[in-house]
Amino acid sequence: MNVATILKQKGRAVTTANPAASLLDVAEKLSAKRIGAIVIVGAGGEVSGIISERDIIRRLGTDGPKCLTRPVSESMTRQVITCREGDTLDELMAQMTAGRFRHLPVVEDGALVGIISIGDVVKHHVAEVEMEATAMREYIAHT
């Protein structure tokens, strides 16, 4: 299974914010949408960063509540690891495990086309394993 298959099932909607948005605005979006990360996009729609709930908590822990009025560009991860629609679940799991992050924006030809979370990866991996187990049981029962 690959990223395109996951996006076909879950959809391609991505919540974004611009780098000038305040950390509080981003936190409110995360809460309202019940999501774990927001992709930060520049004026041309290019991915310029990503910020997660954990990033916000870390910033609050170091700088206190005054950080909430500062632009998200001061707290976001700037070197964003992305994936492509042709990438496989195994590749995503390896990237996420090695990088210790939970969200991967999907970029094709420089354009943001979706986002994959660790939850998406696990959900589809479990479905894949269950399908293989069922196929094996049926094979064994008929031989």
Side-chain angles (χ1 to χ4, degrees), residues 32 34 43-44 49 76 87 121-122 129:
R34 300 180 54 118
M76 69 186 187
D87 291 346
V121 173
V122 169
V129 169

Side-chain angles (χ1 to χ4, degrees), residues 23 26 30 36-38 40 49-53 55-56 72 75-76:
L23 208 53
V26 170
L30 287 167
I38 290 181
I40 309 303
I50 190 166
I51 188 142
S52 70
E53 298 165 315
D55 296 326
I56 295 170
V72 70
S75 302
M76 69 186 187

Side-chain angles (χ1 to χ4, degrees), residues 11-59:
R12 294 176 175 272
V14 182
T15 300
T16 62
N18 71 57
S22 73
L23 208 53
L24 180 59
D25 290 340
V26 170
E28 287 172 344
K29 265 190 184 183
L30 287 167
S31 178
K33 300 265 187 177
R34 300 180 54 118
I35 55 176
I38 290 181
V39 179
I40 309 303
V41 295
E46 73 284 354
V47 174
S48 60
I50 190 166
I51 188 142
S52 70
E53 298 165 315
R54 289 178 178 186
D55 296 326
I56 295 170
I57 293 301
R58 283 187 193 108
R59 182 60 71 153

Side-chain angles (χ1 to χ4, degrees), residues 136-143:
M136 280 295 253
R137 281 193 286 277
E138 288 177 8
Y139 175 77
I140 291 168
H142 292 97
T143 54

Side-chain angles (χ1 to χ4, degrees), residues 100-119:
R100 299 180 53 113
F101 50 82
R102 303 169 58 104
H103 299 87
L104 272 171
V106 184
V107 175
E108 288 292 332
D109 298 322
L112 179 64
V113 297
I115 190 164
I116 300 292
S117 73
I118 191 68

